Structure formats: C-alpha cells, structure tokens
C-alpha cells in the first residue's frame, strides 16, 4: 500500500511478501525457487503492475492471505 503508484517499489514489496510467506510456512523449497527466479518475477510484475486493477487486486489477495496466516 505504501508504494502507491510506484510500480517498482510495489514489485519489491510483493516479492518480499512472497518470500516472507514461504519463510513463515517453513517452505525452504519455495523460498529457494523464489530467490532463483527473483529477476524474472521483477520483470513480469513490473509489466503486469501497469495493467489497471493489478495492484489493487494483488493487495486484496495479499490482505486475505495475511488474515489467514494471522
């Protein structure tokens, strides 16, 4: 949310969210995969982040996931 319209900042936060989720779950395989494809994820998310509704939809999904984790 703090990234606002700053897509690169949003992408960094999005990737950090996924890495932390893997860490919380104790899923080292997922964490390793995410680290391995981080650059690809950045490029893909920066492109997708410019599409109307992507950021707001992602934030909604992440809020639901965070609520489930809590």
């Amino acid at each position: 949310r703090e990234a606002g319209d700053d897509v690169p900042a949003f992408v960094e936060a999005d990737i950090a969210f996924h890495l932390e989720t893997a860490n919380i779950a104790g899923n080292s395989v997922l964490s390793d995969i995410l680290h391995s494809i981080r650059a690809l994820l950045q490029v893909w998310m920066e492109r997708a982040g410019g599409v109307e509704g992507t950021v707001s939809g992602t934030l909604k999904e992440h809020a639901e996931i965070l609520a489930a984790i809590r």
Side-chain angles (χ1 to χ4, degrees), residues 10 14 45 51-65:
F10 174 79
D14 179 72
M45 281 299 296
V51 175
E52 182 73 29
T54 299
V55 171
S56 62
T58 299
L59 287 173
K60 182 179 181 300
E61 291 170 354
H62 286 184
E64 293 169 1
I65 292 166

Side-chain angles (χ1 to χ4, degrees), residues 19 24 27 39 50 52 58 66 69-70:
L19 288 169
I24 290 167
N27 191 333
E52 182 73 29
T58 299
L66 184 57
I69 290 170
R70 285 184 174 150

Side-chain angles (χ1 to χ4, degrees), residues 8 30 41 46 59:
L30 178 57
L41 286 171
E46 285 179 6
L59 287 173

